[in-house]
Amino acid sequence: MRVSRLMLVTLRDDPAEAEISSHKLLLRAGYIRRVASGIYAYLPLLWRVLQKISAIVREEMNATGALETLLPQLQPADLWERSGRWAGYTAGEGIMFHLDDRQGRQLGLGPTHEEVITALAADLLRSYRQLPVTLYQIQTKFRDEIRPRFGLMRGREFIMKDAYSFHGDEASLQETYAAMDGAYRRIFRRCGLRAVAVEADSGAIGGSASQEFMVTAEAGEDLILASPDGRYAANQERAVSLPPDPVPLPAGPATALDTPAKSSIEALATAHGLDPSQIVKVLLLLARFADGSVQPLLVSLRGDQQLNEVKLSNAVAARAPQGAGAVLEIAPLDAERCRDWRLDLDLSAIPFGYIGPDLSDGLLTHAGSGLRRSFLRLADPTAAELPRFVCGANAPDRHRLGVSWSDLGETPQVLDLRAAQPGDRCRHDPSQILEAARGIEVGHIFQLGRKYSDALEATFTNDAGFDEALWMGCYGIGVSRLAQAAVEQNHDGDGMRWPVAIAPFEVIVVIANVQESSQRELAEQLYGQLLDAGIEVLLDDRSERAGVKFKDADLIGIPWRLVVGRGAATGQVELVRRADGEKADRPAEAVVAELVERIRQERSGVEFGV
Ligand code: ATP
Ligand code: MG
């Protein structure tokens, strides 16, 4: 391909719309253009990258025995009603684009395909003899993200590979899950990326075990907590650890404490010589469900600990009243929320800042419709295990000192709700201290179990002749996000540094001065030889200054640059490697063979994980 024919438009300055390096570079180097918020045109250079990534993904999926398919993006609402996800995905912070057709039937634009594929499985998979089976597709997905940002990292329209497996029993599901884990590791390695597998939260998809693959990069949105011995790594949303030991409270009877204007843990601790780990803090929150009902929550945590909102949301979902549907939102109980959600609650009766775990349900008795009349009371073990502690007295300007849970009556339900932090000791080995790293989630694999097959009645006949629900797994890779993650992990001040395996072209031949016929002729000759040798090569034949072309070559990040300049007259060319800037003069007659050999090695090197 000739650069003069490539419609290449590069930008010298950073576009204002971009914050992180990879997004700036994709725009500047002419790989993408923004069409609307979270919606991008993939220009020819990026399309080549996406096709290369897709080819690697396809090869590895096929190698596991998975079958490629293509499912509709327009999905009928009733399938999502049957799985119980329609309301959660369309109302409130739901991310599914949805519309009515001319007959007034509701449709959604596929953010994911569990419903469609499970309905197909119900239809097509009848016998244990057909199992296990895995289907995958590479396709555009639509998600009306709350905060689309960072270019292709969080788009509203993006390319995903999604796969779904069906099994007769859990052991078979675990086998395929392990095969996918292996395939994912090979895919990321072959793409030339450094990726780590971490334990993950299963989120709205549901199911039991799940693992994410993170490309490590400073600009990553996810926080990874890992042990230095390599035995534990988890997304912070999911991570567990040992909390620091609390400072014991000196013995003594339970007493009241006057604490005017000490409504924060910090103010209370400082004013009364307490350690935050001696205080139980109580968060007053509201959870709104898909059916519109609202559950008030009282969450107790040790004063030095932070709430993990994902854990809380999962805990509330698991305790949702029958028919309430998904948890749409959890938010602090305040005037704004009461107004927005039309809750008729007398806030003046609530002693904010002085609440104890035993705050009375009586406060809720006059509450408006939709609000449940009793608190869901939850406590993290850090709070529940304190023998004696300080907490609010449920009256303004007053706390209680030295109380125990038995003094407070009913004990809340105890479960892990705290956010693990870097610096915490690990559960598997307390001498290991959790370290933080940032990552970009490029893949996520789940053992779904029977959640969707139960809901959509996808059953098969087992070898004993009985009908059973299918076991399922699902496996996603963000193909377009992966392309940008590769840039985030591989760039420098001059531009991108594509790994050879997914670079749009492997070599760029630059004619330093197109007015010089000796340079033009030699470059054309080398270009032809490289093409004949099966190398993906660009020829920069533009009548630009040499400096401009070198800058562009660095910016678009082609792994090898062959410069045909003044030396052409004596048959000399310059070979430059983008990754480390290594430069060397070479006789033109030998350079093609050398390049072919080095690229062949690089291609197979990543394939075999060298
Ligand atoms: P995130 O937590 O980043 O919102 P997710 O957990 O909702 O992602 P999955 O449902 O697991 O995403 O989707 C599979 C993969 O698709 C993700 O691992 C990610 O690589 C990619 N992906 C998800 N959402 C987007 C998006 N808005 N833009 C680009 N890629 C995405
Ligand atoms: Mg995910």
Side-chain angles (χ1 to χ4, degrees):
M1 174 63 69
R2 288 163 196 275
V3 177
S4 59
R5 312 309 316 144
L6 195 59
M7 209 179 72
L8 181 67
V9 179
T10 56
L11 310 173
R12 206 163 285 222
D13 299 318
D14 283 338
E17 68 184 84
E19 292 168 59
I20 61 172
S21 306
S22 53
H23 186 197
K24 290 177 189 166
L25 289 171
L26 285 172
L27 286 164
R28 280 185 54 208
Y31 280 68
I32 59 171
R33 278 289 181 276
R34 179 181 176 278
V35 174
S37 166
I39 304 176
Y40 288 85
Y42 309 138
L43 299 178
L45 282 175
L46 184 78
W47 185 239
R48 290 180 69 98
V49 173
L50 294 173
Q51 283 181 305
K52 286 195 165 182
I53 296 170
S54 302
I56 293 172
V57 169
R58 218 170 245 125
E59 273 179 37
E60 293 296 340
M61 285 296 111
N62 294 346
T64 68
L67 305 165
E68 186 163 5
T69 184
L70 192 60
L71 303 171
Q73 287 157 319
L74 275 173
Q75 307 185 3
D78 64 279
L79 279 181
W80 286 73
E81 301 276 11
R82 285 173 63 198
S83 70
R85 291 207 295 182
W86 178 259
Y89 267 77
T90 56
E93 294 184 351
I95 49 144
M96 182 151 64
F97 287 104
H98 50 103
L99 57 135
D100 292 343
D101 68 11
R102 64 176 73 243
Q103 266 99 29
R105 288 178 299 227
Q106 284 189 302
L107 298 163
L109 273 179
T112 177
H113 278 75
E114 284 79 15
E115 280 75 2
V116 171
I117 197 106
T118 310
L120 282 170
D123 186 12
L124 297 169
L125 298 176
R126 295 288 167 81
S127 159
Y128 71 95
R129 290 193 193 86
Q130 293 169 284
L131 303 174
V133 63
T134 304
L135 293 160
Y136 77 96
Q137 58 174 349
I138 299 176
Q139 184 200 54
T140 297
K141 292 279 186 279
F142 299 90
R143 293 186 182 181
D144 196 359
E145 296 279 356
I146 296 161
R147 268 180 297 281
R149 57 180 190 161
F150 302 155
L152 306 182
M153 292 288 191
R154 188 167 294 286
R156 296 198 298 160
E157 182 179 326
F158 59 96
I159 300 176
M160 195 202 286
K161 184 285 297 180
D162 46 332
Y164 306 87
S165 64
F166 297 92
H167 311 267
D169 56 38
E170 193 172 15
S172 164
L173 165 59
Q174 285 166 351
E175 217 170 277
T176 297
Y177 183 80
M180 286 289 166
D181 176 42
Y184 273 45
R185 289 170 199 262
R186 282 192 298 279
I187 288 168
F188 302 127
R189 198 168 58 222
R190 284 184 59 184
C191 288
L193 298 175
R194 294 180 299 283
V196 293
V198 305
E199 279 182 21
D201 177 65
S202 295
I205 301 263
S208 51
S210 107
Q211 187 173 279
E212 287 167 342
F213 293 84
M214 298 279 185
V215 165
T216 46
E218 272 307 305
E221 282 189 274
D222 286 273
L223 187 68
I224 303 167
L225 295 177
S227 64
D229 64 3
R231 286 172 57 201
Y232 183 76
N235 191 318
Q236 194 192 25
E237 292 178 350
R238 157 90 187 195
V240 293
S241 65
L242 295 173
D245 292 329
V247 176
L249 206 57
T255 49
L257 209 56
D258 273 332
T259 53
K262 302 289 176 290
S263 60
S264 73
I265 298 286
E266 205 191 338
L268 177 66
T270 322
H272 294 272
L274 297 165
D275 186 87
S277 68
Q278 299 170 322
I279 304 169
V280 167
K281 70 175 163 192
V282 181
L283 308 174
L284 184 47
L285 306 161
L286 294 173
R288 190 161 61 95
F289 293 104
D291 71 349
S293 64
V294 175
Q295 171 69 62
L297 312 173
L298 272 182
V299 180
S300 299
L301 282 168
R302 208 171 75 192
D304 61 333
Q305 299 301 308
Q306 301 304 319
L307 176 68
N308 178 320
E309 289 171 14
V310 175
K311 290 180 184 175
L312 176 64
S313 175
N314 291 340
V316 173
R319 289 163 180 75
Q322 190 85 39
V327 179
L328 297 186
E329 204 179 337
I330 295 184
L333 193 167
D334 57 21
E336 192 188 334
R337 213 57 60 165
C338 288
R339 193 188 56 230
D340 290 353
W341 295 355
R342 299 205 180 81
L343 305 174
D344 181 20
L345 198 62
D346 178 12
L347 292 183
S348 66
I350 301 176
F352 287 105
Y354 300 91
I355 295 172
D358 54 344
L359 185 69
S360 165
D361 285 338
L363 288 168
L364 304 169
T365 47
H366 301 295
S369 66
L371 188 74
R372 288 174 201 279
R373 301 292 166 91
S374 59
F375 289 108
L376 175 60
R377 295 165 197 268
L378 303 172
D380 182 74
T382 50
E385 285 164 10
L386 287 176
R388 295 170 65 254
F389 50 88
V390 175
C391 69
N394 297 321
D397 302 334
R398 289 181 82 74
H399 280 85
R400 288 168 284 184
L401 172 71
V403 285
S404 66
W405 287 99
S406 59
D407 300 330
L408 301 180
E410 189 194 347
T411 336
Q413 299 178 49
V414 180
L415 76 168
D416 176 32
L417 293 169
R418 63 180 276 274
Q421 305 282 359
D424 285 351
R425 294 164 301 159
C426 293
R427 283 198 184 173
H428 74 274
D429 174 357
S431 73
Q432 292 286 314
I433 302 300
L434 282 181
E435 291 173 349
R438 299 213 73 90
I440 301 163
E441 180 196 325
V442 287
H444 198 166
I445 60 176
F446 297 80
Q447 291 181 29
L448 291 173
R450 292 166 141 174
K451 173 174 166 168
Y452 295 92
S453 48
D454 276 338
L456 293 151
E457 292 165 45
T459 59
F460 72 103
T461 311
N462 66 19
D463 56 0
F466 296 109
D467 278 358
E468 273 191 66
L470 289 158
W471 290 84
M472 285 179 64
C474 79
Y475 318 90
I477 291 185
V479 171
S480 46
R481 182 185 283 184
L482 192 156
Q484 185 168 334
V487 177
E488 197 55 51
Q489 207 176 54
N490 300 282
H491 70 271
D492 60 18
D494 297 323
M496 309 177 178
R497 295 200 300 210
W498 286 105
V500 170
I502 60 170
F505 292 90
E506 294 160 327
V507 179
I508 181 166
V509 177
V510 180
I511 311 174
N513 180 357
V514 288
Q515 311 306 334
E516 288 286 340
S517 59
S518 60
Q519 293 186 21
R520 259 193 345 256
E521 281 156 22
L522 182 58
E524 290 281 355
Q525 188 191 328
L526 293 169
Y527 174 59
Q529 288 170 353
L530 287 164
L531 282 179
D532 289 345
I535 301 291
E536 297 177 11
V537 53
L538 270 177
L539 175 67
D540 196 347
D541 58 343
R542 295 175 299 169
S543 55
E544 297 282 355
R545 282 184 296 111
V548 170
K549 296 200 231 182
F550 296 159
K551 273 206 157 59
D552 277 350
D554 279 347
L555 181 62
I556 65 176
I558 307 302
W560 292 98
R561 183 167 94 204
L562 202 52
V563 183
V564 183
R566 285 203 196 95
T570 55
Q572 289 290 313
V573 294
E574 187 188 44
L575 183 59
V576 187
R577 183 157 69 183
R578 180 67 184 90
D580 58 6
E582 176 199 299
K583 277 185 190 171
D585 287 332
R586 291 282 190 266
E589 66 264 24
V591 80
V592 170
E594 178 184 347
L595 258 180
V596 170
E597 179 54 24
R598 291 178 84 163
I599 288 172
R600 199 186 59 78
Q601 275 175 13
E602 282 172 336
R603 283 178 185 166
S604 64
V606 285
E607 262 170 52
F608 299 109
V610 174

